Amino acid sequence: MELVATQRAAPPQVIENEPSGGDVEDDAVWTAEGRASDEIPIASSSPSATPAATPRDDDDGIKTLPPGAAAPSPSWLRHPALPSTLYAILAVAVGIQVSIFGPALLRLSAQVGASLGDTAYASAARTLASVGASAAGPIFDVLAAGQDGAPVRCGARRSCRLPRALHAHTVMGGAALVGGLGSALIPAARSLGALYLGLALQGAASGLLDTGSNLLMMWLWHERRAGAPWMQTLHFGFAAGATLAPLLLRATEAGDDITGSGGGGGAAAAGNNSSSNATAPATISPPAGTTYQYAFFALAALYCVCGAALSFVPAPASPWSVSNNNGTGSSSAPTAADGVVVAPSEAADASGPPAKAAAGMTRRIWGVMGLVAIMFLLYVGGEHSYGTFLTPYAIFVMGRPEAFGQYATAVYWAAMTAGRFGSIGASLWLAPATLLTLALVTCTTCAVVLAAVPAHTDASLLVLTAIFGAAMAPQYPSTLALAATFAPMRAAYTTAFSLCNSGGAWLLPFIVASFLKNVPASSAAAAEGGGVPDPHSGARAMMYVVAVACAANLGVFLLAWRRGTRLRAALSAGT
């Protein structure tokens, strides 16, 4: 397909020795000449922030470009594998950001001198900021509409043209820089307010990156079979980063343990750490001379480097704005001729179906997408709750040392990473609905067992955690892929998904954190009446919350699957 746009005539310009991707002579001279005509059609064979026009051969052998158009980018820069890889690397950074907070929770609470519950509430600041950033998702539709020079609406009664340097990748690159700033601020925080600010910056970055990377990945690989493995790779990157986080944190802690070298459970715990009745540590001593802050600085560097690199890569075009090769210079939504199922409400014109029928179809689409959004809320909430509070669970319920809790968290994310890696191949053979069914049944069973058994041994916790993590792995990308089979994806839908992602990442951990409210952060806090922790209720609440979320997600999936298949049939029939 071609993108067709128009540009005003401009003064002649000469660009010498411009690289052309290997199909033009090295000594070719590129020129742009003005013409008498007001409008000149520009055809771009690849989606790019700056339209790359096809050069013309003049009689004297000089390659010419239409006025205002830039020479084509090198072919390797336009290949969809490059931005897809950068999305996956940014997903690694987001995974580290999400996973590192739980294992570092005790140290951060001692760093700012607050209770464990108050510090855990800081994750709510990150999630609320993520919700706000996710709501800006429709900006990607606007950027895609204006990246070929077409005017976009800038107000109620006026339109404007976007700068050529402003496209989806520059926005995502800026978001990554904000995430790097927040990551660097966290280890420097000495008050709850500063900690909340750092996490809020992280949340704003991850919200926009999550919305953008999922949407742009679907645009890049629109109607290509390679899209499913790349989507799995994107979320494999998240799981890989989440696995790396506790190990990176442990490596920078230089072997010290905030709960003490004795294992955090005292004499009773040391004698019987396989029982939940073991004595858990009542207080947490502030760390002295540790270097765990370097883990956050490494995360900041990863954000900044990858974000800067992405800013220079051309952004993909929306399949909704790609023309049908009609040469008119106008943009239109894809039609059945393009192999895309289009809702009547989005393909209708003056001679199309009645307005009431179109509005009814729109409501049906949003009804199904709303159920999918609830699935994301429950999944992300359960995923974040387990990964964030597994370390406190091991310390306060099982009476195990901090190191064991961090390694158990690493096992959880490592199992998810392995599951995501396996899902890349499985997605080529199994339908998204089949993968989801297997994953949801398995993870719900594990979550119920984890919540029902009152006393876990070290081995049983690690084995169940590994199975649970592997079963959670394919759910996010498979849910996205399943939603794309029900109706064509637009930024409005993925924005709703991201909003529910952020809502789940805030709501369920917030509920768990409420049960940790009275856990003191240090011996000084306990001496001032900070309260005595209850090892059998607060931290254990995480298991109950996760089990309920998994069971509810299974029920919502069955309902969404039933309604979605009916919607797909209605869209295919055009009714």
Side-chain angles (χ1 to χ4, degrees), residues 379-484:
Y379 167 78
V380 175
E383 175 194 70
H384 281 46
S385 295
Y386 199 88
T388 299
F389 296 105
L390 185 57
T391 297
Y393 176 89
I395 294 172
F396 294 106
V397 175
M398 297 179 62
R400 302 296 290 125
E402 182 193 37
F404 175 80
Q406 292 175 343
Y407 289 135
T409 303
V411 167
Y412 168 64
W413 292 112
M416 184 173 291
T417 303
R420 291 264 167 91
F421 184 78
S423 297
I424 296 175
S427 64
L428 295 173
W429 304 100
L430 298 177
T434 305
L435 268 177
L436 271 176
T437 302
L438 296 174
L440 284 167
V441 170
T442 303
C443 78
T444 300
T445 303
C446 283
V448 170
V449 173
L450 282 165
V453 176
H456 287 287
T457 63
D458 292 357
S460 67
L461 179 70
L462 293 177
V463 170
L464 288 172
T465 294
I467 298 174
F468 179 74
M472 293 285 281
Q475 292 185 36
Y476 195 108
S478 296
T479 302
L480 273 175
L482 181 67

Side-chain angles (χ1 to χ4, degrees), residues 29-208:
V29 178
W30 298 74
T31 68
E33 299 173 344
R35 289 195 175 185
S37 173
D38 278 343
E39 304 262 330
I40 299 176
I42 297 176
S44 175
S45 60
S46 65
S48 173
T50 302
T54 302
R56 304 184 302 270
D57 282 311
D58 289 346
D59 295 336
D60 55 2
I62 297 179
K63 305 290 185 178
T64 62
L65 286 175
S73 302
S75 58
W76 63 268
L77 194 61
R78 300 192 310 267
H79 196 282
L82 176 60
S84 298
T85 302
L86 291 175
Y87 299 160
I89 296 175
L90 280 173
V92 172
V94 174
I96 295 175
Q97 167 190 306
V98 169
S99 177
I100 201 171
F101 181 72
L105 181 60
L106 278 70
R107 296 176 180 271
L108 291 174
S109 64
Q111 174 182 304
V112 299
S115 71
L116 202 61
D118 287 338
T119 308
Y121 284 146
S123 64
R126 178 176 64 189
T127 309
L128 289 176
S130 180
V131 170
S134 298
I139 192 176
F140 292 105
D141 275 340
V142 176
L143 293 172
Q147 73 178 17
D148 59 356
V152 296
R153 179 169 295 180
C154 299
R157 297 183 178 181
R158 60 187 299 266
S159 61
C160 60
R161 297 181 185 272
L162 300 177
R164 295 196 182 279
L166 181 62
H167 52 86
H169 283 170
T170 55
V171 171
M172 291 182 65
L177 295 178
V178 171
L181 176 62
S183 300
L185 180 61
I186 289 174
R190 290 299 178 266
S191 65
L192 272 177
L195 182 63
Y196 284 17
L197 176 60
L199 286 167
L201 292 176
Q202 280 191 334
S206 62
L208 203 56

Side-chain angles (χ1 to χ4, degrees), residues 96-427:
I96 295 175
Q97 167 190 306
V98 169
S99 177
I100 201 171
F101 181 72
L105 181 60
L106 278 70
R107 296 176 180 271
L108 291 174
S109 64
Q111 174 182 304
V112 299
S115 71
L116 202 61
D118 287 338
T119 308
Y121 284 146
S123 64
R126 178 176 64 189
T127 309
L128 289 176
S130 180
V131 170
S134 298
I139 192 176
F140 292 105
D141 275 340
V142 176
L143 293 172
Q147 73 178 17
D148 59 356
V152 296
R153 179 169 295 180
C154 299
R157 297 183 178 181
R158 60 187 299 266
S159 61
C160 60
R161 297 181 185 272
L162 300 177
R164 295 196 182 279
L166 181 62
H167 52 86
H169 283 170
T170 55
V171 171
M172 291 182 65
L177 295 178
V178 171
L181 176 62
S183 300
L185 180 61
I186 289 174
R190 290 299 178 266
S191 65
L192 272 177
L195 182 63
Y196 284 17
L197 176 60
L199 286 167
L201 292 176
Q202 280 191 334
S206 62
L208 203 56
L209 291 173
D210 179 60
T211 302
S213 59
N214 282 293
L215 178 66
L216 298 181
M217 186 72 83
M218 287 188 284
W219 287 359
L220 276 169
W221 300 97
H222 178 63
E223 293 185 322
R224 302 186 193 183
R225 186 170 180 80
W230 272 109
M231 182 61 74
Q232 296 286 351
T233 301
L234 173 67
H235 295 280
F236 167 78
F238 173 86
T243 302
L244 179 63
L247 300 178
L248 179 63
L249 187 66
R250 196 69 209 156
T252 57
E253 286 174 349
D256 66 303
D257 197 319
I258 197 171
T259 59
S261 59
N272 184 21
N273 58 42
S274 65
S275 171
S276 63
N277 294 323
T279 303
T283 59
I284 306 166
S285 301
T290 58
T291 56
Y292 70 95
Q293 294 91 344
Y294 290 123
F296 289 92
F297 293 142
L299 172 60
L302 179 60
Y303 260 134
C304 294
V305 171
C306 191
L310 184 63
S311 300
F312 294 97
V313 177
S318 167
W320 293 94
S321 63
V322 176
S323 69
N324 299 319
N325 290 326
N326 53 17
T328 62
S330 61
S331 296
S332 63
T335 65
D338 299 313
V340 181
V341 177
V342 182
S345 62
E346 292 159 341
D349 53 22
S351 61
K356 290 185 178 180
M361 182 59 72
T362 300
R363 286 193 297 269
R364 289 185 64 180
I365 294 176
W366 273 108
V368 172
M369 295 304 168
L371 291 173
V372 175
I374 294 174
M375 290 180 62
F376 282 118
L377 184 149
L378 294 169
Y379 167 78
V380 175
E383 175 194 70
H384 281 46
S385 295
Y386 199 88
T388 299
F389 296 105
L390 185 57
T391 297
Y393 176 89
I395 294 172
F396 294 106
V397 175
M398 297 179 62
R400 302 296 290 125
E402 182 193 37
F404 175 80
Q406 292 175 343
Y407 289 135
T409 303
V411 167
Y412 168 64
W413 292 112
M416 184 173 291
T417 303
R420 291 264 167 91
F421 184 78
S423 297
I424 296 175
S427 64

